[in-house]
Amino acid sequence: MAALCKFRVFGQGWYGRSLIWKPSRSGGILVSGVRFQHSSSHAETQTQYRPETSSAKSLLDIGTRRIFSEEHDLFRQNVRRFFQEQVAPYHKEWEKLGQVSREVWEKAGQHGLLGVNTSEEHGGVGGDLLNAAVVWEEQMYVNCSGPGFSLHSDIVMPYITHYGSKSQIEKYIPAMTAGKCIGAIAMTEPGAGSDLQGVRTNARKDGSDWILNGSKVFITNGWMSDLVIVVAVTKKDARSVAHGITLFLVENGMKGFIKGRKLEKIGLKAQDTAELFFEDVRLPADALLGEENKGFYYLMTELPQERLLIAAMALANCEFMFEETRNYVRQRKAFGKTVAHLQTVQHRLAELKTQICVSRAFLDNCIQLHAEKRLDTATASMAKYWATDLQNKVAYQCLQLHGGWGYMWEYPIAKAFVDARVQPIYGGTNEIMKELIARTIVSDK
């Protein structure tokens, strides 16, 4: 019997309806008469011409880019509507609070935006990586950095589905897909950032239990988290720290697990970023995620997706900033005509669009490679380094084209400017990305 998978489509005419995905004989998925082809086969069946962004009317147009299909377009329409209606109108208030609402998490779950690329068998939505990429991009297209959906769905959840036990998957994944259990991952410490081998948080055995001690900082979703994957040292006498790291699942409310203050940042103001403290937290044996002392291996395996995600969101933000600036200069007047009539402005826009479109070609290739499980660490590092550096260059130039108004918080470009600054830092600094790339260049292996 064909497996059934629930999926919610929430665009015009479908808003809030719970539909059914059903595999068809041709290998796609039927959704009330709409066929969703798996990413591995959609290119073979696709016949419609799809322009690349360089020749589209807008960089945000739906129906462009050959890596996507018509089914992804339908999904994108629905995701776009969700962010425009359920996120953008409330984001200014969330910036003041330093966090988004619990309600928006549950709404995202109700409408199928969480756990998109997690299999239905595990309690996820059952989409593909390209569906997940649509969610990443559409969040950036409304310039709303608050909701930590991508980290929750495409960084935290894969650790559980890839390395967790059956009982852990059954306990956490359905609740995370529903937005009722918010996930975070705690790697960074006050004295250990990009260098994971500097981790000092530790766990020691006490019978069948573990006793966890240490602290973490800069943890996205940290304040609102219900479940945190904690990186800890469990074998201090290992030949290197990498051989003695283990991952643990720590639940909110456990005795000794203390959430510090929400950190006040120059950007990402609606994103709850917190300090976490662990003071003799007693963890049961089933809090161990995967195998003991295999944590570093798990982290290295999963980091390419995290870096791809950061790159994808960075480039989508570049596209947003470009369109926002193009619209502005076509309206703003100076010297008796619109700013867009000035040749220096036209040339700057031409440079920006070229840089963004060239980067889009590379990044779409990376997304396709990852969908086929062929994205290596060096290429993911290139994507992260290049896209986040470009994001900051585009933010600088677009703010400049706004003039003094670009420095005002009420203008979207101001928020995009400060949000961009952290991108080359987290997920591994861009200096570390260059190290990883360079190793493949000079290595004899």
Side-chain angles (χ1 to χ4, degrees), residues 223-439:
W223 181 260
M224 298 184 71
S225 63
D226 300 297
L227 178 70
V228 183
I229 297 175
V230 179
V231 178
V233 174
T234 48
K235 189 177 181 182
K236 293 183 179 180
D237 59 350
R239 64 179 184 271
S240 71
V241 176
H243 292 89
I245 284 180
T246 302
L247 306 185
F248 293 94
L249 296 170
V250 181
E251 296 179 8
N252 184 35
M254 284 183 163
K255 186 177 179 180
F257 175 23
I258 303 165
K259 295 179 179 180
R261 61 195 172 95
K262 282 183 284 188
L263 299 172
E264 189 174 356
K265 312 178 294 293
I266 64 171
L268 306 181
K269 291 186 176 295
Q271 190 177 100
D272 65 299
T273 309
E275 299 172 302
L276 303 179
F277 301 93
F278 309 95
E279 299 177 357
D280 290 328
V281 180
R282 181 172 290 276
L283 300 173
D286 61 6
L288 180 71
L289 180 61
E291 297 181 39
E292 185 179 337
N293 300 321
K294 291 289 184 70
F296 191 80
Y297 166 77
Y298 300 153
L299 292 169
M300 293 303 101
T301 301
E302 299 301 320
L303 278 172
Q305 176 155 308
E306 178 178 348
R307 287 160 182 166
L308 176 66
L309 182 158
I310 293 170
M313 296 183 82
L315 190 56
N317 191 237
C318 290
E319 292 166 337
F320 164 81
M321 290 188 286
F322 176 85
E323 294 299 339
E324 189 73 17
T325 304
R326 172 161 65 168
N327 291 336
Y328 178 81
V329 299
R330 292 170 72 180
Q331 298 171 19
R332 175 71 172 166
K333 289 189 176 181
F335 309 108
K337 54 186 176 183
T338 64
V339 175
H341 280 86
L342 299 174
Q343 188 181 63
T344 185
V345 171
Q346 293 175 0
H347 286 187
R348 183 57 48 81
L349 290 173
E351 292 168 357
L352 289 173
K353 184 174 182 181
T354 301
Q355 291 166 1
I356 293 169
C357 290
V358 169
S359 300
R360 169 54 66 199
F362 174 65
L363 194 62
D364 277 3
N365 182 59
C366 290
I367 292 172
Q368 189 64 56
L369 284 172
H370 194 49
E372 298 167 359
K373 304 188 184 306
R374 295 194 295 122
L375 181 67
D376 59 46
T377 297
T379 307
S381 300
M382 292 177 194
K384 194 270 180 183
Y385 141 61
W386 184 265
T388 57
D389 262 22
L390 180 64
Q391 182 183 12
N392 278 270
K393 293 172 183 176
V394 171
Y396 180 92
Q397 296 296 346
C398 286
L399 191 151
Q400 186 73 15
L401 290 172
H402 276 71
W405 291 111
Y407 200 64
M408 299 296 105
W409 190 251
E410 65 193 87
Y411 278 74
I413 194 63
K415 185 167 66 175
F417 179 84
V418 293
D419 284 353
R421 188 58 191 87
V422 74
Q423 293 277 81
I425 298 173
Y426 60 22
T429 66
N430 282 5
E431 288 73 21
I432 295 295
M433 297 303 99
K434 294 174 186 177
E435 282 288 322
L436 295 173
I437 298 163
R439 287 176 191 172

Side-chain angles (χ1 to χ4, degrees), residues 22-231:
K22 182 178 181 182
S24 72
R25 292 180 180 177
S26 64
I29 300 175
L30 290 174
V31 184
S32 290
V34 178
R35 185 181 306 283
F36 281 70
Q37 294 290 341
H38 295 298
S39 61
S40 61
S41 62
H42 90 266
E44 298 173 7
T45 59
Q46 185 177 326
T47 57
Q48 182 188 18
Y49 168 72
R50 301 179 66 83
E52 296 302 316
T53 52
S54 58
S55 55
K57 184 176 181 181
S58 164
L59 298 183
L60 313 186
D61 278 354
I62 296 175
T64 61
R65 300 160 58 190
R66 75 193 80 173
I67 67 169
F68 293 112
S69 66
E70 291 181 359
E71 290 71 42
H72 293 115
D73 296 342
L74 175 62
F75 182 64
R76 186 182 291 276
Q77 291 169 10
N78 301 322
V79 176
R80 183 167 295 187
R81 182 178 177 184
F82 180 89
F83 278 111
Q84 289 174 345
E85 295 184 357
Q86 303 295 339
V87 176
Y90 309 102
H91 206 266
K92 188 173 182 181
E93 182 61 28
W94 294 337
E95 289 170 6
K96 295 175 184 177
L97 296 172
Q99 66 181 79
V100 304
S101 67
R102 279 263 171 191
E103 183 182 16
V104 78
W105 276 94
E106 294 193 14
K107 284 184 177 179
Q110 291 164 9
H111 293 114
L113 269 72
L114 304 176
V116 173
N117 193 30
T118 297
S119 72
E120 187 267 343
E121 177 188 357
H122 287 151
V125 170
D128 59 17
L129 179 72
L130 296 174
N131 289 120
V134 166
V135 180
W136 307 340
E137 293 171 1
E138 290 302 321
Q139 181 171 343
M140 293 296 95
Y141 289 167
V142 292
N143 200 35
C144 293
S145 56
F149 298 160
S150 58
L151 178 134
H152 167 94
S153 296
D154 301 301
I155 297 176
V156 178
M157 289 177 71
Y159 278 98
I160 300 173
T161 57
H162 293 165
Y163 311 112
S165 64
K166 186 174 185 291
S167 61
Q168 288 171 335
I169 291 170
E170 291 175 348
K171 180 178 181 180
Y172 297 117
I173 296 300
M176 296 178 81
T177 301
K180 296 182 181 297
C181 175
I182 299 173
I185 184 165
M187 297 189 215
T188 304
E189 298 185 3
S194 294
D195 180 15
L196 287 173
Q197 298 197 58
V199 168
R200 294 291 177 266
T201 296
N202 63 87
R204 61 177 175 80
K205 272 279 186 68
D206 184 29
S208 63
D209 294 346
W210 292 88
I211 306 299
L212 179 68
N213 282 282
S215 64
K216 301 290 183 177
V217 71
F218 309 143
I219 307 305
T220 302
N221 293 347
W223 181 260
M224 298 184 71
S225 63
D226 300 297
L227 178 70
V228 183
I229 297 175
V230 179
V231 178

